[in-house]
Structures are given as C-alpha cells and as structure tokens.
C-alpha cells in the first residue's frame, strides 16, 4: 500500500501551489537564520581554536540578555593540547571594568574533560540574568581556563541587558 499522496514515479503529479512554495521557502529561510552562529571577538584563546559560538538569545548585536531568564551558550572548539581540568570565568565589561558574573567554576560539568589534542568538543553552559541587573550595554567576556590558569578559549560579544 502506498502511503504517499502521490507516487514518486508519477509523471502527472502537479507542482505545489505558489502559496505553499512561499511557505516552504520562508520556513527554510527561518531555519537557516536561526542556525546562524554568533560573530565574536577572540580574546586570547591559547589551548583551543573556537569553531563557533551560539547564544540562544542573540539574533543581532548587541546580544539581548533578558532579565530573569537563563541565557544558553554553546562553544564548539578544537583543543590544541590535552585538557584534564577547566574553570569557567564570565565577566561583564562595563566602562572598561571587568565585573564577574556568578557561574559555577567547574567547566568539566559543561563539557567532557580528559580532552585530547585535536579533539573537537562542545561546551554548553548558561547564566541566569538576575532581575536586579540594570538595563545597560556591556561586553560579555567568557573564558575557560585550564588547570594551570592558561586560557583554553576566550571570546567577547557586545550585549544589552533587557527587560
């Protein structure tokens, strides 16, 4: 029994109507736009090469950081050396001052550790934007340090804390 509405070999099948084609094209365009990676500034990555950065609330610059919500960050990177331990550090740079964001320190909870040189890894973490944070522009600096305090990776993105 053929479950398809038409046979793939049916030469008499019709082309979808223009409205349906427009919807299909729109959905394909939105899917591509939503999958776009965030442009970032590398701020001294040593032990790894960042392949891409994704921030769930960032569709344009500055990235929006909505108060009282979690903002998820995914960094895909390739290690340049072996890594067995790592520490999270996140800062908001406001008027040139680096102000730490509260994050749990053990980056091995956000990625696999015992990373070998040449291995590609996805790091996933999130920060909670507290409702008490002022609605201001800043630069977010996200770095992961190895056991000796050297930067595994570091990136910066412009951001805006929003309501």
């Amino acid at each position: 029994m053929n479950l398809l509405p038409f046979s793939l070999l049916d030469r008499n099948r019709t082309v979808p109507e223009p409205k349906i084609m427009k919807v299909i094209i729109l959905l394909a365009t939105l899917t591509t736009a939503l999958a776009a990676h965030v442009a970032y500034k590398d701020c001294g990555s040593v032990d790894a090469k960042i392949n891409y950065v994704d921030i769930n609330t960032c569709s344009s610059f500055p990235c929006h950081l909505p108060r009282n919500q979690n903002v998820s960050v995914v960094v895909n990177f390739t290690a340049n050396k072996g890594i067995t331990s790592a520490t999270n550090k996140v800062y908001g740079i406001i008027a040139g001052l680096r102000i730490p964001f509260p994050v749990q320190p053990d980056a091995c909870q956000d990625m696999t550790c015992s990373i070998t040189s040449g291995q590609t890894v996805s790091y996933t973490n999130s920060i909670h934007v507290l409702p008490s944070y002022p609605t201001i522009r800043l630069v977010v600096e996200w770095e992961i340090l190895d056991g000796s305090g050297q930067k595994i990776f570091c990136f910066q993105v412009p951001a805006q804390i929003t309501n």
Side-chain angles (χ1 to χ4, degrees):
M1 174 177 202
N2 188 357
L3 297 177
L4 295 174
F6 56 86
S7 169
L8 293 175
L9 299 174
D10 184 2
R11 295 173 196 222
N12 295 323
R13 73 179 177 176
T14 59
V15 175
E17 294 192 30
K19 284 185 181 180
I20 293 174
M21 287 303 293
K22 287 179 184 176
V23 170
I24 292 170
I25 291 170
L26 177 64
L27 288 174
T29 303
L30 286 174
T31 302
T32 302
L34 293 174
H37 302 306
V38 175
Y40 63 90
K41 176 184 175 190
D42 190 289
C43 50
S45 299
V46 176
D47 293 348
K49 177 193 171 294
I50 297 174
N51 300 317
Y52 63 82
V53 174
D54 286 332
I55 301 172
N56 70 324
T57 60
C58 190
S59 58
S60 63
F61 285 127
C63 294
H64 289 251
L65 306 178
R67 291 195 297 188
N68 205 30
Q69 289 188 27
N70 289 327
V71 175
S72 298
V73 175
V74 175
V75 180
N76 182 278
F77 67 93
T78 303
N80 297 330
K81 72 174 208 174
I83 299 166
T84 57
S85 64
T87 304
N88 289 310
K89 297 284 184 178
V90 181
Y91 301 94
I93 302 173
I94 304 166
L97 298 174
R98 291 173 78 215
I99 300 166
F101 269 76
V103 292
Q104 62 83 20
D106 185 6
C108 292
Q109 292 182 14
D110 308 309
M111 63 183 179
T112 56
C113 277
S114 287
I115 299 167
T116 58
S117 181
Q119 183 178 352
T120 298
V121 178
S122 279
Y123 164 90
T124 304
N125 200 340
S126 65
I127 56 171
H128 184 71
V129 182
L130 295 176
S132 59
Y133 290 168
T135 54
I136 57 170
R137 284 187 181 232
L138 67 153
V139 172
V140 173
E141 180 175 290
W142 202 296
E143 62 184 24
I144 305 302
L145 307 176
D146 66 16
S148 64
Q150 184 165 286
K151 290 180 184 178
I152 296 172
F153 67 76
C154 180
F155 71 89
Q156 294 179 338
V157 292
Q160 169 80 44
I161 297 176
T162 60
N163 285 320

